[in-house]
Amino acid sequence: MLGWYPGHMNKARRQILEALPEIDVVIEVLDARLPYSSANPMLAELTRHKPVLKILSRADLADPVRTKEWTAHFDAQPDTRALAVTTTQSRELKRIPKLCHELAGQVRADRDVRVMVMGIPNVGKSTLINGLAGRTIAKTGNEPAVTKRQQKVRINGQVALIDTPGVLWPKIEDQASAYRLAASGAIRDTAIDYVDVAVVAAAELAKRYPEAFSARYKLKTLPPYEGHPDADRVEADGDAQLDLLAEAGFDGHALLSTIASKRGGLRAGGEVDLHRGAEVLLHELRDGKLGRVTLETPDDIPAAPPEETPDASASASASASASADDEAAG
């Protein structure tokens, strides 16, 4: 369980709450390579009464077959539409104002449709806004949390956009999501051990794209996972002990070791520099050099836990927990 909550993200949450009553439509920008993991459940809770346009950014880096599955998944949800785009391609963004009007329904003719743009850090929000505006409005960058404050911009099509800082949530409960976010660069490389992230990513890529992965690194075999003395290091923080390599079915340590030895990570005496292997794999994954890959499908969404019959003690416990959370957020 990975946890953090920088002060500017807490401030952004409050700004979102203050602005939402005047908002007609929410645009949530997701990474098309990980649409579930890059969706902030806190934002979903904050905006649950607003129509939502899900923008799957970086569609040029994602598996087009999986992207179609994800857009169908989101389109099936009430008051929700999905559109996959490459945010640097302005022609792909032209449908967005029309979709916002359709989702907003009846809006007075003398005012714009008010749209709030949300998303986690480093998912392409600022690039999207710049593309819609046709000029540089929002600062962009390759590191998380570049935008630090709300920005407003009017675009063609009678739409007024409100940009918000990228907001992560206090705790990422799903370990697989934490590692996918780290692999994509959505969270800083210091949040989870860099080599561990690459180990899990190698196993996931071997599972999902064995041919492309083998071809890129000239791998003759993809070693199955049979346990490893360092396996306990490849786990997110917290009490849960999910073995992500066992879930993938491939030995990410062996794969990363082979990549390192082939790409300048073989030291004198035969010692393998796993950090070098991690640099190669993660940089090439983020740059799209492994081809168009998607790290999760709708089938990977964890099943919701069964609802329990509430009783007095459970209600009291939930109330106390909510109070503690509010105090911590304040």
Side-chain angles (χ1 to χ4, degrees), residues 244-255:
L244 296 174
L245 297 190
E247 291 284 309
F250 291 94
D251 190 338
H253 292 89
L255 291 168

Side-chain angles (χ1 to χ4, degrees), residues 162-176:
I162 298 178
D163 184 19
T164 58
V167 182
L168 285 168
W169 49 115
K171 292 180 180 177
I172 300 179
E173 304 284 353
D174 188 292
Q175 293 182 78

Side-chain angles (χ1 to χ4, degrees), residues 35-36 67-78 80 82 298-299 301:
Y36 168 73
T67 297
K68 287 182 180 179
E69 293 176 3
W70 278 108
T71 54
H73 169 78
F74 290 127
D75 283 341
Q77 299 174 3
T80 304
D299 290 338
I301 298 175

Side-chain angles (χ1 to χ4, degrees), residues 28-255:
E28 183 177 15
V29 185
L30 307 171
D31 189 324
R33 298 167 298 176
L34 51 156
Y36 168 73
S37 295
S38 60
N40 186 338
M42 185 185 75
L43 294 182
E45 176 64 22
L46 292 176
T47 63
R48 65 185 183 278
H49 299 305
K50 299 288 182 179
V52 178
L53 174 58
K54 306 272 191 180
I55 296 294
L56 276 61
S57 71
R58 302 189 177 117
D60 58 319
L61 299 178
D63 183 333
V65 174
R66 298 305 184 199
T67 297
K68 287 182 180 179
E69 293 176 3
W70 278 108
T71 54
H73 169 78
F74 290 127
D75 283 341
Q77 299 174 3
D79 296 322
T80 304
R81 295 289 297 277
L83 180 65
V85 302
T86 302
T87 50
T88 56
Q89 299 296 320
S90 58
R91 63 182 175 79
E92 296 184 18
L93 309 182
K94 292 181 178 179
R95 291 183 58 197
I96 292 177
K98 184 175 184 292
L99 288 171
C100 288
H101 277 273
E102 292 175 359
L103 283 164
Q106 294 297 322
V107 173
R108 290 200 328 263
D110 62 343
R111 78 165 176 85
D112 295 334
V113 173
R114 298 165 184 153
V115 178
M116 179 174 282
V117 185
M118 299 180 174
I120 67 171
N122 200 30
V123 80
K125 288 192 309 91
S126 296
T127 305
L128 173 69
I129 289 172
N130 291 339
L132 289 169
R135 61 192 190 280
T136 301
I137 297 291
K139 184 179 179 182
T140 62
N142 292 325
E143 291 197 359
V146 170
T147 302
K148 293 295 197 300
R149 59 183 176 82
Q150 285 186 342
Q151 304 178 80
K152 297 181 182 180
V153 57
R154 191 172 188 269
I155 65 172
N156 293 334
Q158 284 191 285
V159 172
L161 299 178
I162 298 178
D163 184 19
T164 58
V167 182
L168 285 168
W169 49 115
K171 292 180 180 177
I172 300 179
E173 304 284 353
D174 188 292
Q175 293 182 78
S177 288
Y179 277 96
R180 288 169 190 154
L181 286 166
S184 74
I187 58 181
R188 297 190 187 279
D189 288 334
T190 54
I192 308 178
D193 185 274
Y194 193 66
V195 170
D196 289 353
V197 171
V199 165
V200 174
E204 280 285 325
L205 290 165
K207 171 186 176 181
R208 298 179 189 276
Y209 299 97
E211 292 182 3
F213 186 67
S214 297
R216 179 67 189 178
Y217 298 112
K218 298 179 174 58
L219 303 174
K220 295 181 179 179
T221 60
L222 295 175
Y225 179 66
E226 298 178 352
H228 191 281
D230 290 335
D232 59 338
R233 297 177 60 243
V234 189
E235 296 164 353
D237 299 334
D239 297 331
Q241 298 295 311
L242 179 65
D243 189 335
L244 296 174
L245 297 190
E247 291 284 309
F250 291 94
D251 190 338
H253 292 89
L255 291 168

Side-chain angles (χ1 to χ4, degrees), residues 258-279:
T258 302
I259 292 171
S261 64
K262 290 174 176 287
R263 294 292 194 88
L266 191 60
R267 296 173 175 171
E271 182 182 358
V272 176
D273 182 357
L274 288 180
H275 195 276
R276 170 59 184 167
E279 288 180 335

